[in-house]
Amino acid sequence: GSEKPYRLNDQVGFLMRQANQRHLAIFARGIPDLTPMQFAACAKLHELGAVSQNDLGRQTAMDAATMNGVIDRLVKKDLVETEADPDDQRRLIVRLTAAGSERYRTSIEAAHGITAETLAPLTARERARFLALLARLAL
């Protein structure tokens, strides 16, 4: 029949993975001591203050197992601290330490640079459109 050929290099998942790999390499150069997920957790904690680990996972689009690993590594780096919720001992409250707040503040300029370098091949209009379209796909 008139079957449309399937070319991997034209597929959305393949292209997004390649773009993400490029972004991860740029991120690793810009903020070498944190993973993107560790940085995301710090950024969200900076924004929200102390929150439950479950809520932090929801706010950063990380599943519970991933969030556990991220928090464990950030605790080992003394960037976050945890404590049992006084109202519900099953809930873990997470907050940035003073060192974590400082590390986040000193990373903001690099983070903006990472975004700029990732989007550098696009014009300003294309950047805005691309981010708007990605946001629609991310629902």
Side-chain angles (χ1 to χ4, degrees):
S2 61
E3 203 174 284
K4 193 171 160 187
Y6 185 95
R7 281 186 19 94
L8 179 66
N9 293 37
D10 298 334
Q11 303 310 309
V12 63
F14 181 77
L15 291 167
M16 286 197 307
R17 191 171 69 254
Q18 281 192 313
N20 190 50
Q21 287 169 341
R22 181 175 161 272
H23 170 71
L24 292 174
I26 293 166
F27 189 97
R29 280 197 315 274
I31 304 176
D33 59 321
L34 295 174
T35 68
M37 289 195 280
Q38 290 169 358
F39 180 78
C42 290
K44 196 50 87 166
L45 286 170
H46 178 80
E47 178 186 329
L48 299 175
V51 294
S52 75
Q53 186 168 315
N54 285 342
D55 192 30
L56 183 60
R58 281 190 296 278
Q59 296 275 340
T60 56
M62 288 183 233
D63 63 59
T66 301
M67 188 83 264
N68 265 335
V70 167
I71 295 304
D72 286 349
R73 285 184 281 286
L74 288 172
V75 166
K76 285 186 177 96
K77 294 177 185 221
D78 190 37
L79 300 179
V80 303
E81 58 192 10
T82 63
E83 67 179 356
D85 185 334
D87 300 327
D88 182 350
Q89 294 295 306
R90 296 166 301 177
R91 283 179 47 182
L92 201 59
I93 301 298
V94 184
R95 72 174 51 80
L96 286 173
T97 61
S101 290
E102 181 59 23
R103 182 66 192 96
Y104 172 73
R105 276 193 297 278
T106 62
S107 298
I108 293 170
E109 191 175 330
H112 285 301
I114 290 162
T115 296
E117 186 177 343
T118 299
L119 297 175
L122 305 177
T123 66
R125 173 180 249 137
E126 287 170 334
R127 283 180 210 138
R129 186 77 179 127
F130 176 70
L131 292 173
L133 291 169
L134 269 182
R136 283 177 55 194
L137 290 177
L139 291 178

